[in-house]
Amino acid sequence: MAIKPLLTKDFATENLHQLSVYEKTGGYAGFKRALEMQPDELVELVKKSGLRGRGGAGFPTGNKWGFLPKGMYPRYLVCNADESEPGCFKDRYLIEKSPHQVLEGILIASYAIGCNLAFIYIRGEYLPQTEALETAIDEARQAGYLGKNVLGKGYDIDVILHRGAGAYICGEETALLTSLEGYRGEPRLKPPFPAVKGLYGKPTVVNNVETVCNLPHIVLNGADWFAAIGTPTGRGTRVWCMSGHVNRPGNYELENGTPIRELIEEHGGGVWKNRTLKAFQPGGASMMVLLPEHLDVALDFDAIQKAGSLAGAGAMVVMDETTCMVDAARRYVKFFHHESCGKCTPCREGTFWMANLFDQFEAGDAKPGDIDLLLDIGYNIDGRSFCPLGDASTWFPRSVIKFFREEFQEHISEKGCPFKKSVQEAVA
Amino acid sequence: MATVQTEQVTLTVNGQSVTVPKGTLILDAAKKIGIDIPIFCSHPKMAPVAVCRMCLVEVEKMPKLQPACAVYVADGMVVKTTTEQVNKYQKGVLEFLLINHPLDCPICDKGGECPLQDQTYQYGPGASRYQFDKAHFDKAVPLSDKILLDRERCVLCWRCTRFSEEISGERELALIQRGVHTIIGTFNDEPAKSAYQGNWTEICPVGALTSRQYRFISRPWDLDRTPSICPGCSMGCNIQIDARNNKIGRFQSRENLAVDDSWLCDYGRYSFPNFQRQSMERPRVRRDGRLEEVAYEDAIAFTVDALKRAGGQAAGWASPADTNEELVLFRRLFREVLRSPHLDHRSAAVPDAEPDDMSLAIADIERLDCAVVLGGQEVIDAAPVLHLRLFKAQRKGLTVLKVGAGQVAEAVAGVRPDCTVVGILATEANKAAAVELQSKLQRKVKGSVRRLLVTTGPNGRGAKDLGILPHLGPGYASLNGQAGKGRTEWPGAGLRALYVHESSPLHGFTPSDAESMWLPTLPLIVFHRFKPSPLDEMAHVILPGHAFTEKDGTVTNMEGRVQRISRGLDADWVLEDWRVFQEIANGLGAGWAYESVADITAELVGSLPPYAALNRGERVLWSEPG
Amino acid sequence: MALAKATAEQIKDLAARYPSRQSAIIPALWAAQHEQGYVTDEAMHEIAEHLGLPPSLIEATASFYSMFLTRPEGRHDVVICINAPCMLRGADEMVAYLERQLGVRDGGTTADGAITWHSTIECLGACGGAPMMQVDHRFEEDLTPERIDAIIERLRTTPASHDAEPKRPSPRPRAKKSQN
Ligand SMILES: Cc1cc2nc3c(=O)[nH]c(=O)nc-3n(C[C@H](O)[C@H](O)[C@H](O)COP(=O)(O)O)c2cc1C
Ligand code: SF4
Ligand code: SF4
Ligand code: SF4
């Protein structure tokens, strides 16, 4: 399949983060074109393009915009740059390399939904990226893309860059809004959905960084052009964040529908150290593990779901034969335990309990019943938690128990991790 | 008023059909047909948060279990609350809650009335499969001089923090830290200042927030519980007196939506030690300058003799904490038997009372579009639970204007002319300003203006209604030139006897400077009261009486609602106060024959028809409010 | 220790920037931490005053987020990721090496006060460059023992990062040349 990067096509250009360079590559032409259109036309265009959100849930972007109740103002757009899903680092890359592309996408989305004040919620750990965006905003303001009556078209727009302070849950859209309002980042009940009652109780759209980066290209090239890329249910491209046991980890923008094999073997240069592939995990920490037999599954929301996992936020964590799957699951479970906001009982207590059990496996103190106990705790968390964080905390460990149960048993019978020895040798 | 027709929806819960208004939660629809869904975080006064996840139920066509406390009913909804999945999961939540719970029920104040304990028994897992160290938190953290917090027992239901945010608006309690480390607390564990902390202990579904005063006094099943009214102020909040072995353990709230909306203030709630009788007292009479214990008959005979001599020059002070029944007899004793017009219940001169002082009902504050609190915090301090009603209304859109008692002009300027119902709240001391404001606003706004004056004591309103005033009779009737002197005029009025009746140490007879000079000059002081006080030193007769918490009767709150108080503690050796009045009256030749409090109540209703409201727990309406 | 006048002014400006002054809590906490190195009780009280909010709300928020520090730390802040993607590429070995080179345990500060380090299970968003760490919030990727040695050497001899910056801390930080 021919790969034509959209978002990253100019990323080799030096100093792309500077406004003048970005403009030379065609930057802000999309925004200018958008300003010539009616906002409703833009919403229709994006609906027609089939663009689906890149933040994890894959919700059609145009439809989300269409949910805003008529005549209710002010409205807000919040760009979700909280990227904290373990395994994901694409938004960071998109911001670092081309902060103006992000900004242009935000301006287009804001204009389309009739918003005059947009926010970027960026995770606290992304300090250099915060600085890059801040500079871009200043440059854009000076160039007249931002502020009152932009480009003389009678449209006012300002963007506030808001820095988080360390909380994965703030990536979840309602928690993000709560956090942006100054509170603890705890998710809110839905309904009401943010489109109806979001930031400060006003209609709000939350869109991921990568999602908005698509907009300038869709506006410039048209819905049909975009719809022709990718698969019928997954238009366009995605930036995949490859990490783990491959030769060339990093971000790769690929057309949707590309086989996973191509990502790992061609772009990633295959499994490192001439070892064999044991498992991989698409989507990020939350998602279920897949096996070598799934290598020919397409990089596409629906195809990956059919295979038993989820495309999520576009991570691809590759694990070779030496990987202790129990330890990998342990790290994720400890992550969710650390990041549980504590609002609801199953996630708060359940992740704590699971983390304790996993430590017990690691320490060699686990008992035979503990594998089923883990599954049962997972059952009591999944689908019962307040927000998807709790649910997702159980998906990877349960899928690992399903496919690699014998590794758990070995941890019990060998009173510890059968893979650890190599590590100890390496440190010594 | 036209009744608003709300849309009805029909659903089934466990196969039973139920029809409820649109906007009802599944939880409440199920309750309506007697199906209990277990909860911890849900509270009828607070917005749903669905954090505890105990109430998850199956709803057909929804893939996940749904929180019954947060999902609204829909037509044709099929809800199942007892399926295997639901039951398994309820066990799961309880197991989760218990992994970090200390299970120190035997020494927990909540033991016996703890939803966690009850639900564990009913729905819970058998033995815990949790085999690690529990997360440890501080136990017995003093949140203030009133409240202790046990952070290990806390199940993070958010009720107390929501109370602080949504009910009292003080935002003093907050969640601190996150995840499994989350705790509740005040800023930096500094002492809480809220005036409503006791409510936290009542809404806490476990023994995490407890009253320091009640700690370990008793187990709930050992308590004798008596419904009554708070003696604290004229709000008339409904309480339950919880006692054991004739010792008061606590005052708990007893919801009355029209009055307290289920809350109490700390002043009222924690006033209960004042009502604990310390000794078994007997009547005393002063002979040769010394008080001697005597039998009731002797004390009464002594009093009758002395009063006879004073006749129309005897003054009577009844407290604003007396029951209406006592007040009826007290008034008759003075006006009819002794023929003295010198009757009062007040401590200071206040403007005349009139029925219009309560044209605004407490619950109707929620239906105002603007409320002027004339006197600001002073009004709230006089009846603290009023603030909760105001704040509730404020959250629904009421504009609350707090101004100084003298700032009538500012208040007039602050009220928008398009208001449809404006309320004025003030203490009775500031009645003149309230009336002035009312007439000015009446001219400015297009709608109606009503006022509610905060009276004194739990029954200052009743005392006025029943004519315990020097210049007005029952029902604010004119005395046709027969007016006597009010309390502040008594010194120097040539009086020859003073009878003080006092039912509550919170609303007693505290002599002013002028009175301190005057009292020793009186030939007779009868002090009929519950607790010793400095006035004992001057009295010629001391008649032990029953406390507010030891008697039956009715009291009338600031808005004219007549409510029953009941005997929560026994003091059988004390002759009921109304009987003392009757025996004195009969000693003076009256021939009364009341046999019970109920007899007096019946007479009161008969002679003062608006008081028929008491049989319905309603407000006394002297005329249609304007 | 009261906040500097400039910080207090900045907090008041922040309050005016958002449709609701409550939104200024996190930026205000950043400003306070930037000035004083960590968030003190006194600073939270002051923020509450400047924003006209109850102090409990400030503590509730401050304590929720892992990046607000509650005690003074070393001049430099080193955070090393141990989540799965980093673990796969040898994060545990790097953690062990870092601990040995610094001579203090996870969460501790070196005797010379130069470096506070801790491991984190919170993914920092550089899995493509694993193993990685953040030094004063800036990324250091593809760690090897040699790179760690070089970084430690550099940190021991440079002043605190925020001392080097102009006293105009985030939330509106200026872009500047990366230090590496
Ligand atoms: C626990 C959790 C974490 C999330 N983190 C992120 C995130 O870091 N970035 C993001 O864009 N979306 C994240 N999401 C998804 C958002 O809730 C939301 O769906 C998304 O930002 C919408 O943008 P999109 O429609 O453009 O995808 C997260 C969701 C959950 C449940
Ligand atoms: S599932 Fe976890 S993160 Fe989500 S609300 Fe519950 S405790 Fe918070
Ligand atoms: S202290 Fe009680 S009311 Fe408050 S959160 Fe804990 S359990 Fe709930
Ligand atoms: S407001 Fe008055 S009646 Fe109500 S609890 Fe307080 S003191 Fe008692």
Side-chain angles (χ1 to χ4, degrees), chain B residues 45-46 143 158-175 184-187 192-197 199-200 203 209 263 387-388 391 395, chain C residues 54 56-57:
Chain B
K45 306 284 176 203
M46 304 173 193
L143 275 191
W158 293 23
R159 282 188 182 179
C160 56
T161 52
R162 279 183 289 157
F163 180 94
S164 195
E165 166 124 24
E166 298 173 25
I167 310 287
S168 74
E170 296 157 314
R171 298 206 277 183
E172 214 181 7
L173 284 184
L175 294 149
I184 65 141
T186 54
F187 175 76
K193 296 192 206 76
S194 168
Y196 310 96
Q197 299 173 28
N199 298 301
W200 304 342
I203 57 177
L209 287 163
W263 313 120
H387 160 72
L388 303 182
F391 187 70
R395 283 173 57 91
Chain C
S56 62
L57 207 64

Side-chain angles (χ1 to χ4, degrees), chain B residues 223-244:
Chain B
L223 290 170
D224 300 319
R225 309 190 142 167
T226 312
S228 196
I229 300 299
C230 172
C233 78
S234 63
M235 188 86 188
C237 298
N238 292 201
I239 62 163
Q240 177 175 283
I241 303 169
D242 285 355
R244 185 191 178 205

Side-chain angles (χ1 to χ4, degrees), chain A residues 51-61 64-65 78-85 88 90-91 121 123 167-176 187 190 205-212 238 286 301 312-313 335-336 339 387-390 392:
Chain A
L51 174 65
R52 290 172 71 175
R54 307 299 197 226
F59 197 85
T61 306
K64 190 188 266 189
W65 295 358
V78 182
C79 177
N80 188 343
D82 192 55
E83 184 172 70
S84 312
E85 181 79 24
C88 292
K90 65 184 177 65
D91 295 343
Y121 187 104
R123 69 180 295 195
Y168 162 69
I169 186 59
C170 292
E172 192 282 330
E173 56 183 6
T174 62
L176 181 149
K190 290 194 276 193
V205 167
V206 180
N207 275 145
N208 170 255
V209 167
E210 187 185 349
T211 310
V212 299
R238 287 201 73 169
S286 308
F301 292 112
F335 165 77
F336 286 113
E339 297 303 325
C387 87
L389 187 150

Side-chain angles (χ1 to χ4, degrees), chain B residues 385-463:
Chain B
V385 169
L386 263 184
H387 160 72
L388 303 182
R389 185 72 72 166
L390 279 164
F391 187 70
K392 181 181 181 193
Q394 212 173 348
R395 283 173 57 91
K396 293 200 278 183
L398 168 76
T399 307
V400 177
L401 209 62
K402 288 191 178 164
V403 294
Q407 295 178 292
V408 172
E410 285 85 341
V412 174
V415 178
R416 290 196 332 270
D418 59 344
C419 287
T420 54
V421 208
V422 180
I424 298 168
L425 299 169
T427 59
E428 61 181 356
N430 292 317
K431 170 168 172 169
V435 171
E436 182 193 343
L437 175 62
Q438 188 172 8
S439 74
K440 287 191 169 152
L441 283 177
Q442 205 79 71
R443 271 173 269 143
K444 179 175 178 183
V445 304
K446 91 171 191 280
S448 65
V449 184
R450 299 178 184 190
R451 68 172 186 264
L452 176 60
L453 294 193
V454 179
T455 43
T456 45
N459 200 27
R461 169 64 62 204

